[in-house]
Amino acid sequence: MSPKPLSVAIVGGGIGGVCTAIALLKYPHIDFQVYEAAPSFGEIGAGVSIGPNAQKALELIAPEARAAFDKHATGNMSPRHAKTMVNYVVGEREHEGELIHAHLSATGQQTVHRARFLDEIVKIVPPQRAHFNKRVVHLDDKQDGTIVIHFKDGTTAAADAVIGADGVHSNVREHLLGKILAKPVFSGTCAYRGLAPMEKAVEKLGEEFAGNCFMHCGRGKGLMSYPIDGGSILNIVIIDFEHDTWEHENWVLPADPEAVRNMFSTWGGKAQGLVELFLATEKPSLWAIWDDGPAPTYTKGRIAVMGDAAHATTPYQGQGAGQAIEDALVLAKVLAEVSEPCMVQNAFLAYDQVRRVRTQRVVSTSREMGQIISMQLEGVGNDINKMGKLLGSMEHWIWNRDMVQQNQEVVQLFRESL
């Protein structure tokens, strides 16, 4: 008689949750189900950067996952920028357009449209494993170790293990940490986001600036732009680093055109061109940017959190999705070692040990990156030479992490704990 499968509930069907599901598919002893609060799988937002580390993680999760990324990935349009992640340039006043630093990596900037990428990877997950309109209300830890999930629609589901992949406003995180510790932190920054047709962007900015990834840096502000969708669209992100509080109930609001123009009235032609392109987009919007304070743990018993539910980060290193993908790989690798439900806690503790320090460092250094970009970092300010040196040293530790070694570490920790 074959042993009973290990039941795993994945709460949340975004990029992190779906990648976890795909990574678990190769292990026949694991019976996973995905519970998504929305009526269907879907991502909000536009472009998302997938760095060299996350690309390697996708390969190890499944060849089909990497193929889905490759199908929709867009790099810089110019061959001379093929290995460039970001060109950091001065956006205002007498140094406008001056290169601060060209950030290079093995892969260069590679971005996908969030919704298209998710649509592609969802095809890999058997439809019978996905359940929609399943918003978590609370979780019950039963004496036998089983976790019962209660949903808003009145239904329940039971599992041997629960993975919270339910985003920055995570109910699973709240169950683990309590309301106060679980609450995300407003970062003091906001982003105006929009998509412009590439032909209009080329008209306004020229091929060099429209077709490649640039970050225009200035005091308290930043403008980032890069091509997505095979170069047919320019993704525009305008960042206000001086938005002290967020008192609105909604975290996405319509943009105020006059406010955006006034923010960049002293900036150069390229920056103002990006502003006008943004304002001409359909429904230009303002997004509050949140991150998580350092959680003391990512797990309790047979429940763990991952991705934004564990370590939501500001976007200045392009690692939000990437770290969720790494989480997915590590979680699947360690759960593959579990042969009895009583081992789940050991597996999740090993995951926590391997992933928490790295991901919380990403959250911290991403905030620091934002201070550099906005010329607000103490001791650096608008000193272009100091900015360039720091920008050049910020991310290689993230990109160059050995994903195979990370897997080996979590398995070893798990086995040593038994």
Side-chain angles (χ1 to χ4, degrees):
M1 184 175 174
S2 60
K4 182 185 171 188
L6 180 75
S7 59
V8 176
I10 301 167
V11 177
I15 289 172
V18 172
C19 282
T20 305
I22 294 168
L24 291 174
L25 273 172
K26 66 182 79 167
Y27 305 115
H29 74 289
I30 296 177
D31 173 22
F32 70 84
Q33 306 294 323
V34 181
Y35 299 98
E36 167 57 39
S40 62
F41 288 119
E43 278 277 0
I44 55 173
V48 58
S49 177
I50 305 290
N53 53 307
Q55 291 176 43
K56 180 62 178 175
L58 281 171
E59 278 177 31
L60 294 171
I61 284 170
E64 301 93 329
R66 177 59 197 251
F69 166 76
D70 290 338
K71 181 177 178 179
H72 292 280
T74 301
N76 292 314
M77 296 290 99
S78 168
R80 75 187 188 90
H81 291 297
K83 299 296 183 187
T84 303
M85 290 293 281
V86 188
N87 293 294
Y88 293 95
V89 297
V90 180
E92 62 173 339
R93 304 200 179 234
E94 66 272 13
H95 292 289
E96 185 222 335
E98 186 174 326
L99 182 68
I100 302 168
H101 177 70
H103 214 12
L104 305 179
S105 77
T107 63
Q109 179 69 274
Q110 294 290 325
T111 58
V112 288
H113 190 293
R114 279 181 182 273
R116 301 209 209 306
F117 178 54
L118 184 64
D119 287 348
E120 201 67 38
I121 58 175
V122 159
K123 295 174 187 174
I124 306 168
V125 179
Q128 68 271 21
R129 303 234 190 199
H131 312 272
F132 301 102
N133 296 303
K134 297 297 180 185
R135 184 171 298 281
V136 173
V137 177
H138 68 274
L139 296 94
D140 278 342
D141 303 82
K142 297 299 183 184
Q143 282 190 334
D144 66 354
T146 305
I147 312 297
V148 177
I149 310 167
H150 296 259
F151 300 106
K152 192 176 179 181
D153 65 2
T155 61
T156 61
D160 298 317
V162 173
I163 298 170
D166 49 341
V168 65
H169 300 288
S170 166
N171 288 322
V172 180
R173 179 182 171 92
E174 188 175 305
H175 176 83
L176 287 189
L177 303 178
K179 279 193 175 182
I180 294 172
L181 278 179
K183 193 174 181 183
V185 180
F186 178 59
S187 67
T189 57
C190 296
Y192 296 85
R193 292 174 172 166
L195 303 173
M198 184 57 76
E199 56 190 46
K200 290 189 177 177
V202 170
E203 249 175 63
K204 184 78 77 173
L205 306 171
E207 286 187 4
E208 171 77 358
F209 275 90
N212 301 289
C213 183
F214 280 87
M215 170 66 85
H216 295 75
C217 305
R219 290 165 303 172
K221 307 287 182 287
L223 292 95
M224 189 172 196
S225 57
Y226 51 85
I228 61 171
D229 264 8
S232 62
I233 292 172
L234 185 66
N235 191 70
I236 301 170
V237 185
I238 300 172
I239 310 158
D240 178 4
F241 290 92
E242 298 176 313
H243 209 108
D244 293 335
T245 59
W246 186 266
E247 295 170 356
H248 310 281
E249 188 176 339
N250 294 333
W251 51 288
V252 182
L253 299 173
D256 177 347
E258 211 48 47
V260 182
R261 287 193 180 99
N262 289 340
M263 281 167 57
F264 296 94
S265 59
T266 63
W267 286 48
K270 291 288 191 282
Q272 293 196 18
L274 280 167
V275 168
E276 292 309 315
L277 283 166
F278 165 75
L279 292 174
T281 62
E282 186 181 352
K283 296 181 180 177
S285 55
L286 171 64
W287 298 57
I289 297 177
W290 305 79
D291 61 13
D292 282 331
T297 181
Y298 289 171
T299 183
K300 183 173 73 175
R302 296 190 194 175
I303 302 170
V305 286
M306 65 170 296
D308 282 355
H311 44 76
T313 180
T314 54
Y316 312 122
Q317 291 177 312
Q319 281 293 321
Q323 290 305 304
I325 292 167
E326 283 192 33
D327 287 347
L329 174 62
V330 171
L331 278 165
K333 196 68 181 176
V334 73
L335 285 172
E337 297 284 312
V338 174
S339 56
E340 298 286 341
C342 60
M343 297 178 179
V344 169
Q345 184 170 1
N346 301 65
F348 282 164
L349 285 169
Y351 155 76
D352 176 74
Q353 202 170 332
V354 168
R355 294 294 299 152
R356 183 155 47 89
V357 171
R358 174 169 166 81
T359 52
Q360 290 181 352
R361 185 180 171 194
V362 169
V363 175
S364 174
T365 56
S366 183
R367 278 205 175 213
E368 186 181 351
M369 181 74 92
Q371 290 181 306
I372 299 168
I373 292 164
S374 59
M375 301 183 174
Q376 294 175 318
L377 187 64
E378 193 174 337
V380 177
N382 62 354
D383 185 315
I384 293 171
N385 290 328
K386 287 182 179 178
M387 288 176 69
K389 284 178 184 175
L390 273 177
L391 290 168
S393 64
M394 289 288 287
E395 293 180 274
H396 294 286
W397 70 274
I398 302 175
W399 299 336
N400 297 333
R401 179 67 162 109
D402 187 326
M403 295 293 114
V404 172
Q405 184 186 53
Q406 186 169 242
N407 283 348
Q408 290 168 346
E409 284 175 16
V410 77
V411 169
Q412 183 178 346
L413 283 167
F414 169 74
R415 290 175 179 173
E416 287 172 354
S417 74
L418 297 177

